[in-house]
Amino acid sequence: LCTPHHPAHLGPIKAVASPRQLLVTVGRAEAIRIYNISKRYEVGSLMKHQAPITTLRFSKKANSLASGSDDGMIAVWRIKDWECVSFKPAHKGSVTDLDVHPSGKVMISCGRDNTLRLWCMTSTKELYRREQKGRGYGGFQQLRWRPKGEGFCYALANDVAICDTNS
């Protein structure tokens, strides 16, 4: 069964995330659109970013949403009331990707500044930073936590790395 579509954004959709009954999308603008999948309607939109949003990721338990944007900012949204609980500069340049640890306690982000950073989800305090020198604009492109959170993997230019956080 397919529901007739309606225009969600004026331009192309740049990021999508979907836990359980929700779907969130972003286009060229700075608004995150929220949809209820089971009832098939738009719930509303979130606005905090001042630049185009580049990435979205829900926590595993779907109690928070993290978003990153072209101006290097990261926002953390509490799902129960859609309040932005943290909004801060994270990278010098675009946030290329982020992911929330399966525990929901930390998130990892990467940016055009060739850094990979680990953040506390509640305070968004930076816990760790790794800089990759000499990669130019390619830099860190995508990253994901491993399923049980025992490590993460990332794409850097034309390489892929798998990191173990237990050692």
Side-chain angles (χ1 to χ4, degrees), residues 32-63:
I32 300 170
R33 306 282 293 267
I34 310 162
Y35 300 90
N36 182 310
I37 295 172
S38 60
K39 296 182 181 176
R40 300 174 188 221
Y41 73 94
E42 184 175 348
V43 175
S45 60
L46 304 173
M47 297 182 74
K48 188 71 171 178
H49 289 279
Q50 302 297 309
I53 297 166
T54 55
T55 184
L56 297 167
R57 194 79 59 223
F58 279 97
S59 62
K60 187 175 180 179
K61 294 178 182 174
N63 55 2

Side-chain angles (χ1 to χ4, degrees), residues 17-34:
S18 180
R20 300 184 193 137
Q21 312 293 318
L22 295 172
L23 170 72
V24 293
T25 63
V26 294
R28 274 192 224 146
E30 297 81 31
I32 300 170
R33 306 282 293 267
I34 310 162

Side-chain angles (χ1 to χ4, degrees), residues 1 3 6 11 13 25 40 55 66 71 120 152:
L1 177 65
T3 302
H6 61 85
I13 293 175
T25 63
R40 300 174 188 221
T55 184
D71 59 1
C120 174
F152 59 91

Side-chain angles (χ1 to χ4, degrees), residues 28-111:
R28 274 192 224 146
E30 297 81 31
I32 300 170
R33 306 282 293 267
I34 310 162
Y35 300 90
N36 182 310
I37 295 172
S38 60
K39 296 182 181 176
R40 300 174 188 221
Y41 73 94
E42 184 175 348
V43 175
S45 60
L46 304 173
M47 297 182 74
K48 188 71 171 178
H49 289 279
Q50 302 297 309
I53 297 166
T54 55
T55 184
L56 297 167
R57 194 79 59 223
F58 279 97
S59 62
K60 187 175 180 179
K61 294 178 182 174
N63 55 2
S64 60
L65 169 70
S67 58
S69 60
D70 264 342
D71 59 1
M73 300 295 285
I74 287 181
V76 176
W77 308 85
R78 185 175 51 225
I79 300 306
K80 71 178 180 181
D81 56 5
W82 294 110
E83 182 178 338
C84 182
V85 294
S86 182
F87 185 66
K88 71 179 302 179
H91 291 275
K92 295 175 184 170
S94 182
V95 177
T96 54
D97 203 7
L98 52 76
D99 199 14
V100 179
H101 188 270
S103 69
K105 294 179 180 179
V106 295
M107 72 175 153
I108 194 166
S109 68
C110 59

Side-chain angles (χ1 to χ4, degrees), residues 60 100-104 144-152 165-166:
K60 187 175 180 179
V100 179
H101 188 270
S103 69
R144 292 291 175 273
W145 285 104
R146 292 171 60 190
K148 295 179 182 174
E150 69 277 16
F152 59 91
T165 55
N166 293 331

